[in-house]
Amino acid sequence: MQRTEQAWFDMDTVERYARRSSFVHGIDARVKCLVTAVYLVCLLSVDLLNVPALVPFLAYPVVVCRMGNIPIMPLVRRSLVALPFCVMIGLFNPILDHQHAFTIGGTVITCGWVSFASILLRGEFTVLASLVLIATTGFPAICSAMRRMGVPTLLTTQCLLLYRYIFLLMEDATSLSTARDLRSYGTNRTPLRFWGAMVGSLLIRSMARAERIHKAMEARGFTGALHTLHEHSLRRADLIYGGVWCIILVLLRWSDAVFYIGAQTHRLLS
């Protein structure tokens, strides 16, 4: 039960950050989505073995959180959930790639370990930037911005409905887990048959709720697209914010200073 409630609390906390008021929160969602896309392109295009060049990209989420009065450490802790998936992606790199990269204190570090560390940093920074976008914008505003940017309406509507009703699914899971704990008489072990019954019950409840919601939305004239009451227009501040960040990110990716730092770090380690 505690893990289910904690997962619900983590999701709701990030969304509550988006309700704050700051300069970053007031920037048009389309601009913030574009800046995040540029950040991801610049980050993922860095050479796989140039790990020092990835470190400066941490400045973007840190500065944006600072500008938006959002604590960075809770987002960092939530982004760690992606590390197991990154580990699975780069697990075989140290095993298959034994090419010499550099030496630290007489210990040879192979290119496989370097690429493995690079994959971990890329995954961590990617998830962190996505959480920063949600925390400063809100998922409904992101879906609306994607729709206005030309993303198919079917896709944005599906994403928004999934995000809205996943909280109800988490509440159902929490209530089922609470009911199980009240009937366990202090036993912490959960039989396998309970998990099967719980998943089946969640599936039946979700299907029944989806049918009721769909009928209610059709009765109210739903045509497949979700619209917002306020459609924001681009301002000068939005253009300046997006332009400055795009220039900074491009400089971080292709600046000679970053390559110089990476080369000097490699020389010192060697």
Side-chain angles (χ1 to χ4, degrees), residues 18-269:
R19 305 189 190 110
R20 296 186 177 184
S21 178
S22 69
F23 170 75
V24 178
H25 287 80
I27 296 297
D28 192 278
R30 291 171 292 179
V31 174
K32 287 183 281 188
C33 290
L34 178 61
V35 172
T36 303
V38 173
Y39 173 83
L40 296 180
V41 170
C42 294
L43 172 70
L44 299 178
S45 63
V46 175
D47 186 81
L48 188 61
L49 299 180
N50 193 2
V51 176
L54 297 174
V55 178
F57 285 94
L58 180 61
Y60 170 72
V62 172
V63 173
V64 173
C65 285
R66 183 68 176 177
M67 295 172 63
N69 298 321
I70 297 173
I72 185 66
M73 291 310 299
L75 298 183
V76 171
R77 288 194 295 267
R78 286 163 178 79
S79 66
L80 294 177
V81 69
L83 282 183
F85 301 97
C86 298
V87 170
M88 294 301 298
I89 293 175
L91 181 63
F92 294 100
N93 287 30
I95 301 175
L96 300 177
D97 190 353
H98 298 282
Q99 183 179 353
H100 177 271
F102 53 85
T103 304
I104 301 179
T107 302
V108 176
I109 306 299
T110 63
C111 292
W113 284 108
V114 175
S115 61
F116 179 70
S118 178
I119 291 173
L120 294 183
L121 283 179
R122 292 166 193 264
E124 176 69 14
F125 289 173
T126 298
V127 176
L128 183 59
S130 302
L131 289 177
V132 169
L133 176 62
I134 297 175
T136 57
T137 309
F139 200 82
I142 294 175
C143 292
S144 177
M146 293 170 59
R147 176 178 57 81
R148 287 183 290 162
M149 293 170 67
V151 178
T153 302
L154 178 61
L155 179 59
T156 57
T157 302
Q158 289 289 341
C159 291
L160 184 56
L161 290 177
L162 174 64
Y163 185 77
R164 283 184 175 178
Y165 291 105
I166 197 172
F167 290 99
L168 295 178
L169 182 64
M170 296 297 296
E171 289 181 359
D172 285 344
T174 301
S175 63
L176 288 174
S177 180
T178 303
R180 182 264 164 194
D181 291 340
L182 294 176
R183 293 170 173 81
S184 63
Y185 304 101
T187 303
N188 294 326
R189 296 180 58 186
T190 303
L192 183 61
R193 56 185 174 83
F194 167 78
W195 292 107
M198 179 177 175
V199 172
S201 178
L202 281 176
L203 177 62
I204 294 174
R205 291 188 182 188
S206 299
M207 293 176 63
R209 177 183 284 115
E211 186 175 354
R212 293 196 305 269
I213 291 174
H214 183 257
K215 290 180 179 179
M217 294 174 71
E218 283 188 334
R220 290 166 173 81
F222 177 69
T223 59
L226 297 176
H227 302 280
T228 58
L229 294 177
H230 304 286
E231 295 287 349
H232 297 281
S233 58
L234 289 175
R235 305 167 301 166
R236 179 180 299 179
D238 301 327
L239 298 177
I240 294 175
Y241 176 88
V244 170
W245 267 121
C246 288
I247 293 174
I248 293 175
L249 294 173
V250 170
L251 289 177
L252 285 178
R253 171 61 182 88
W254 282 281
S255 174
D256 293 336
V258 174
F259 287 101
Y260 176 77
I261 294 173
Q264 293 299 317
T265 303
H266 184 273
R267 183 180 64 83
L268 291 175
L269 293 175

